[in-house]
Amino acid sequence: MKKFLILTLSIFMLAAFVPLSVQADVPYRSYNYDYWKNVVPSPAPYEPAKSETLKNTEAGALKLPGDMSFDADGNLYIADSGNNRIVVLDKDLNFKRVISEFTNDGKTETFKNPGGITVDGNGNIHVADTDNGRVVSISQNGEAKLVFGMAASSITGANFVFSPLKVGVDSAGRYYVIAKNVFQGMMSFDADGSFFGYFGTIKVQSSFADRFWKLVATQEQKKKMQLFIPTEFTGLDVDKEGFVYATNVDYYGGQTIRRLNPKGSDVLVNYTNKQIVGDIVYRRSGALSGPTKFVDIKARDKGIYSALDYTRGRIFTYDSEGNILYIFGGMGSELGMFKQPVAIESFNDRIYVLDQQRGAVVMFEPTRYGELINQAIGLRYDGAESEAVKLWEEVLKLDAHYELAYSGIGKSLLAAGKNKEAVEYLKKGMNKRYYSVAFKRLRNDFLKENINIVAAIIIIIILIPIAVKTVKFVRERKYRKRW
Amino acid sequence: MVREYFSLPVYTMFHPSDGFYDMKYEKKGKTSIIFVNLFLFWISYSFSKQYSGFVVNENNPMGFNLFGDLATILMVFLLWCTANWSITTLMNGEGKFKDIAMATSYALMPMIFTFVPASLLSNLFVQQEAAFYTTIMGISIAWSVMLLFFGILTVHNYTVAKTIATLFLTFISICVILFLLMLISSLIQQVWVFVSSIYTELLYRA
């Protein structure tokens, strides 16, 4: 008996050392945050499929590329900043062509360190031609449609030099430009290139601690403090409805993703109990520490958006209600890891990341897990919750911790009138809003069915104390202590 | 038995001045009631953390620790009593440490009575009704604070103004005690590091 026990024990202990390979073969660890803001490991939602540096093509290697953008047909335009050109690839990252010059009023002109690029629905290419201090819009055949800069004026200050870094265009042709050393917000320009105004200005908020330190600091210390400019935009993308998704840096771990309406105010939806800031838990010091710094964002289909983290090379994907869908990626040298990620794009559910230092575009394909989540969220966005149930059930087979799946199933059960099951699922999904709806229905049903008993209990509760008091009153002694 | 352990505390809830007076000056208070009430408060506090309804419960069940709760309660209780005692002995307070502890434990009664039923009731609430729960909890806590105030006032035979001043000083002395505790712990740590480094040094030299 003892021998048997020792044998079984040692087998169990050995089993603890055998790695269980359930994850797809990816170099990074995927995870998510649960309702309690704990890190929960998850299956890989995306896996790296290809990395392209163009080294072995006639175009030659990319050199410090700054930005990229897809057109409607799935051609990827890369602003190859270090080589002063635009490179076009197809959606499988095969080389197509190079745009190194364009004609402007009959003259041939070139780019100088172009840092930002975007392609609109008509195939027009808009380039933030950084070191030339201008924004260039060219058509597919290389003819400039509009070239504009911005001179120093009373609005900008006398020493202003216009250096556009990122550019976005909405369906009305309005330009949104993130420029170097401009902290008033993005710059917006009309379709004819005239300056319209600053856009989406982030209010500078000083905390109580800041004000306290300012109070006690010396004059010299104060001068140093003023160099801290809290927020500046880092990346933008215009979605199909003409809203501008923008990322910004916040040293205090505040809001770092915005969805700006045409008036420039933030309309990002967040129904969750967590801020949309990327990592909620992170190390305060050491390697790969500090809050998430988003450098670029991509508005994908069905209200989903993905943002790219510069600090730890992670990609955070959120849905239209502010839930984190999945997190993946990391810093390193293997395929799928980054050295200096600067731009993110997406086409047909694939995700592409531009690595500036390595001069490479990395393509990620969704795994079954990622695909299921994308589809289910899409169905929910379209209002077809009941169709999403099958997908959510499959998600739960792969990841039993996925709260959105529980609340998705719960919501469709609620719609089907199965309140009891809905309550169970919505509780697991930590969805207090819909739990309340389901529970209220359940409670009403219970009250309707048992109205007699409930009424009887209430009457008894009221009657018993009255009776007791009456008896006490009758038995009352003449002398009574206070207690 | 019942009168000392139940009737007097309950009477004190509704008649704080008379109740605390009887507790101290008529010598009706029992020392053991401190432990009984602390125990009951621990149970009801932990109960409400674990079993209050889904829509109002913001405590992570994974982080639930019965003995952690007990340690927290005892720490806060001792800190409060010590700080208050150290101030009131200097300010002509008539209460002994025992009286302060007893008054504090009497003041826990409203919370002991409400936490468990409120938690049970909150299981029947939906999000729109969560305000009821927070109101009940808020009232019971405010009641306890009020009792504590009258307890200190009566036990030390203070005026209202003096009680407020004492409470403020108690708060400051709590901060001082915490600061000293931190100082001591870091000093001990440094002494320990010193001793252990001498030990390693000796190991290498010998």
Side-chain angles (χ1 to χ4, degrees), chain A residues 265-280:
Chain A
S265 38
D266 182 25
V267 291
L268 193 72
V269 176
N270 185 2
Y271 290 147
T272 68
N273 63 340
K274 298 182 274 284
Q275 270 189 303
I276 302 181
V277 293
D279 272 318
I280 298 162

Side-chain angles (χ1 to χ4, degrees), chain A residues 101-315:
Chain A
E101 53 190 36
F102 58 94
T103 51
N104 185 13
D105 280 339
K107 287 179 291 178
T108 304
E109 291 189 13
T110 56
F111 302 107
K112 198 172 175 193
N113 192 19
I117 188 167
T118 189
V119 185
D120 66 20
N122 304 324
N124 295 319
I125 308 155
H126 310 276
V127 182
D129 197 359
T130 309
D131 283 2
N132 280 331
R134 60 185 184 180
V135 174
V136 179
S137 294
I138 52 177
S139 63
Q140 279 293 326
N141 51 27
E143 260 176 57
K145 292 189 131 185
L146 178 69
V147 176
F148 66 89
M150 169 120 187
S153 70
S154 59
I155 308 169
T156 59
N159 299 323
F160 175 74
V161 178
F162 182 56
S163 310
L165 294 171
K166 298 272 144 55
V167 61
V169 180
D170 69 10
S171 50
R174 194 145 84 132
Y175 290 84
Y176 302 96
V177 176
I178 298 173
K180 222 183 262 180
N181 298 328
V182 173
F183 301 105
Q184 291 95 322
M186 280 182 235
M187 304 174 92
S188 68
F189 295 87
D190 277 334
D192 63 356
S194 57
F195 181 62
F196 185 77
Y198 293 110
F199 181 79
T201 308
I202 303 168
K203 282 197 190 93
V204 179
Q205 286 168 332
S206 59
S207 65
F208 182 76
D210 283 340
R211 266 176 269 167
F212 173 76
W213 287 121
K214 269 219 167 130
L215 208 70
V216 297
T218 63
Q219 207 65 35
E220 278 170 27
Q221 284 170 325
K222 266 185 204 167
K223 265 184 199 162
K224 273 187 187 168
M225 268 181 214
Q226 273 157 7
L227 295 178
F228 267 101
I229 293 153
T231 47
E232 84 193 72
F233 284 110
T234 51
L236 83 162
D237 190 38
V238 183
D239 73 2
K240 278 177 189 138
E241 283 132 61
F243 288 78
V244 180
Y245 280 90
T247 53
N248 62 276
V249 175
D250 193 312
Y251 296 104
Y252 305 110
Q255 191 185 7
T256 46
I257 292 180
R258 274 148 225 274
R259 186 175 187 239
L260 303 165
N261 68 6
K263 269 175 73 185
S265 38
D266 182 25
V267 291
L268 193 72
V269 176
N270 185 2
Y271 290 147
T272 68
N273 63 340
K274 298 182 274 284
Q275 270 189 303
I276 302 181
V277 293
D279 272 318
I280 298 162
V281 181
Y282 51 82
R283 272 188 289 169
R284 301 272 159 183
S285 61
L288 303 177
S289 63
T292 299
K293 270 185 209 153
F294 285 130
V295 284
D296 197 17
I297 189 164
K298 173 68 189 176
R300 292 161 60 185
D301 291 339
K302 315 279 185 190
I304 300 175
Y305 52 96
S306 294
L308 181 64
D309 166 25
Y310 180 84
T311 321
R312 283 173 287 269
R314 290 172 185 163
I315 294 147

Side-chain angles (χ1 to χ4, degrees), chain A residues 348-386:
Chain A
N348 287 349
D349 267 353
R350 279 181 183 169
I351 288 177
Y352 301 76
V353 174
L354 190 63
D355 191 329
Q356 186 165 47
Q357 194 185 334
R358 210 183 286 156
V361 191
V362 188
M363 181 172 86
F364 292 89
E365 298 224 38
T367 59
R368 181 70 187 142
Y369 176 68
E371 196 179 25
L372 284 167
I373 293 171
N374 289 342
Q375 285 173 5
I377 292 293
L379 287 170
R380 193 196 67 190
Y381 187 79
D382 295 336
E385 301 248 18
S386 56

Side-chain angles (χ1 to χ4, degrees), chain B residues 2-63:
Chain B
V2 175
R3 288 171 37 130
E4 273 90 2
Y5 281 99
F6 186 73
S7 307
L8 180 56
V10 171
Y11 175 78
T12 310
M13 272 171 70
F14 299 100
H15 307 81
S17 281
D18 291 345
F20 284 119
Y21 186 87
D22 286 3
M23 181 198 85
K24 180 170 163 51
Y25 297 99
E26 303 289 324
K27 305 216 183 321
K28 300 290 184 192
K30 294 267 184 200
T31 318
S32 50
I33 210 167
I34 299 168
F35 304 104
V36 174
N37 272 9
L38 278 179
F39 177 78
L40 289 176
F41 179 69
W42 170 39
I43 298 298
S44 47
Y45 174 72
S46 295
F47 184 91
S48 79
K49 267 176 89 170
Q50 176 76 341
Y51 292 109
S52 58
F54 173 67
V55 287
V56 296
N57 199 338
E58 287 295 328
N59 299 299
N60 186 353
M62 298 295 276

